[in-house]
Amino acid sequence: MDVPNEARADAETAPGLERDMPNCSIARTLEIVGEKWTILILREVWYGSSRFGDFERVLGCPRNLLATRLRKLVEEGVLATEKYKEPGTRSRPKCVITPEGIDLVPAVIGLMRWGDRHCSAPDGSPLLMRHHACGAHVEVRLRCLEGHPVPVEELDRVPGPGFRTKPVERDG
Amino acid sequence: MDVPNEARADAETAPGLERDMPNCSIARTLEIVGEKWTILILREVWYGSSRFGDFERVLGCPRNLLATRLRKLVEEGVLATEKYKEPGTRSRPKCVITPEGIDLVPAVIGLMRWGDRHCSAPDGSPLLMRHHACGAHVEVRLRCLEGHPVPVEELDRVPGPGFRTKPVERDG
């Protein structure tokens, strides 16, 4: 992949050109999960809930909206539905998280830890994340593939193979 | 802090009790940023944009909605406004990211990397994140304070000092 070493993916990459905004992985992800109830449903399934009635009760989300958001998560492969049947009852759908959904969890934990630090819950963090193997507290970190921790200020954004620009639209 | 070693923060922590849903750091964070345009505005400011007109043009967000979302990010301390004045023009507001906003960037990068992996941009990632110091690719990782990488499946959720339960509301 031929990427210029000094390339900077600024808002205007060359005179008269700018980033093609919808061509952004953040924007694509947000089209699927960029909405409060959607992430809270994902949270519930990750926490082990699997039934629509439990989502409805715990989240307090309006029923139709909940169904719409859940359907989207299933369509996008973030959640999947399975049938389960308890003896003597009819089969019911239950909802499970997929590997694609699990892959979103670090970002969700990032939101959680930000909330722990900045949303001043009076008593402190509602939940702690611990490493099962050793019991130590778990954090979300930026690390490079050489193993260095990377502060946000030390990130370079470089155009990737999918980078696109478009002509700047100017008034007048 | 006295937390039982084997405590599990399941949906129902004891018979008749369940997690108090709004008492969740994910939910608190989502009250501020759990919406597509809000995160895209944060992205733009992080990328170096600072002017309302640029957000409007690049995002294509309706003007009133953009103003509302921007105002909320400033009220919550994620962004801040400063005045700038070019010679011969009147002073104009510009928007900068705060340390609190920078602290959200790892979660946003988590969304970006998920989009890179799962939202099938035909040509590949639009942007690459590189470590300025060494040039290596940067990822979002879960790591414990003992320095171990932690797969999502190896996370334990443990009630923290702010954990609260409430009686389960049952029908009938």
Side-chain angles (χ1 to χ4, degrees):
Chain A
M1 172 180 57
D2 180 17
V3 175
N5 282 341
E6 302 303 314
R8 294 286 309 281
D10 289 336
E12 297 191 26
T13 56
L17 292 178
E18 64 184 359
R19 273 179 294 120
D20 184 10
M21 198 292 287
N23 179 41
C24 158
S25 289
I26 301 170
R28 289 196 178 100
T29 300
L30 291 173
E31 287 299 319
I32 300 169
V33 298
E35 188 271 331
K36 176 179 90 167
W37 295 117
T38 306
I39 295 181
L40 292 176
I41 294 167
L42 178 65
R43 177 196 76 184
E44 287 303 298
V45 181
W46 173 43
Y47 282 3
S49 279
S50 61
R51 292 177 294 189
F52 187 90
D54 291 335
F55 305 150
E56 193 180 6
R57 190 188 73 252
V58 172
L59 297 181
C61 176
R63 193 178 176 83
N64 285 352
L65 186 58
L66 180 60
T68 299
R69 299 285 181 248
L70 194 50
R71 188 177 314 124
K72 177 152 191 154
L73 284 168
V74 172
E75 280 168 3
E76 298 288 349
V78 175
L79 300 177
T81 49
E82 299 175 353
K83 290 255 202 289
Y84 76 93
K85 189 177 183 320
E86 289 169 11
T89 71
R90 59 186 175 89
S91 106
R92 304 289 295 276
K94 75 169 186 174
C95 199
V96 296
I97 195 166
T98 63
E100 194 168 314
I102 288 282
D103 203 28
L104 260 171
V105 168
V108 174
I109 293 175
L111 299 175
M112 177 194 290
R113 293 295 296 127
W114 189 86
D116 287 338
R117 290 189 291 272
H118 300 288
C119 295
S120 52
D123 305 325
S125 305
L127 283 187
L128 309 174
M129 298 282 123
R130 294 247 171 99
H131 185 192
H132 184 77
C134 74
H137 177 74
V138 175
E139 284 286 1
V140 176
R141 298 288 188 222
L142 297 175
R143 291 181 73 85
C144 76
L145 297 191
E146 293 295 319
H148 308 133
V150 181
V152 171
E153 295 80 356
E154 291 183 24
L155 284 170
D156 283 339
R157 297 186 314 280
V158 176
F163 187 75
R164 292 202 300 268
T165 55
K166 62 173 190 179
V168 175
E169 291 167 17
R170 294 281 189 209
D171 296 331
Chain B
M1 173 177 58
D2 180 17
V3 175
N5 281 342
E6 302 304 315
R8 296 287 308 283
D10 290 337
E12 295 189 28
T13 56
L17 292 178
E18 63 183 1
R19 273 180 294 119
D20 184 10
M21 197 294 285
N23 179 41
C24 158
S25 288
I26 302 169
R28 289 195 179 100
T29 300
L30 290 174
E31 288 298 319
I32 300 169
V33 298
E35 189 271 333
K36 175 180 91 167
W37 295 117
T38 306
I39 296 181
L40 292 176
I41 293 167
L42 178 64
R43 177 197 76 184
E44 287 303 298
V45 181
W46 173 44
Y47 282 3
S49 279
S50 61
R51 292 178 292 189
F52 187 91
D54 291 334
F55 306 149
E56 193 180 6
R57 190 188 74 250
V58 172
L59 297 181
C61 177
R63 194 179 174 82
N64 285 351
L65 186 58
L66 181 60
T68 300
R69 299 285 181 250
L70 194 49
R71 188 177 314 122
K72 177 151 191 156
L73 284 168
V74 172
E75 282 169 2
E76 297 289 348
V78 175
L79 300 176
T81 49
E82 298 176 352
K83 291 254 201 288
Y84 76 93
K85 188 176 183 320
E86 290 169 10
T89 72
R90 58 188 175 88
S91 107
R92 304 288 295 276
K94 75 170 187 174
C95 199
V96 296
I97 195 166
T98 63
E100 195 168 313
I102 288 283
D103 203 28
L104 260 170
V105 168
V108 174
I109 294 175
L111 298 176
M112 177 194 290
R113 294 294 296 126
W114 189 85
D116 287 339
R117 290 188 291 272
H118 300 287
C119 296
S120 52
D123 305 325
S125 304
L127 283 187
L128 309 173
M129 297 282 124
R130 294 248 172 96
H131 186 191
H132 185 77
C134 73
H137 176 74
V138 175
E139 284 286 359
V140 176
R141 298 289 186 222
L142 297 175
R143 291 182 72 87
C144 76
L145 297 190
E146 293 294 320
H148 308 133
V150 180
V152 170
E153 295 80 356
E154 291 182 25
L155 284 169
D156 283 340
R157 297 186 314 280
V158 176
F163 188 75
R164 291 202 300 267
T165 55
K166 63 174 189 178
V168 175
E169 290 166 19
R170 294 281 188 211
D171 296 331

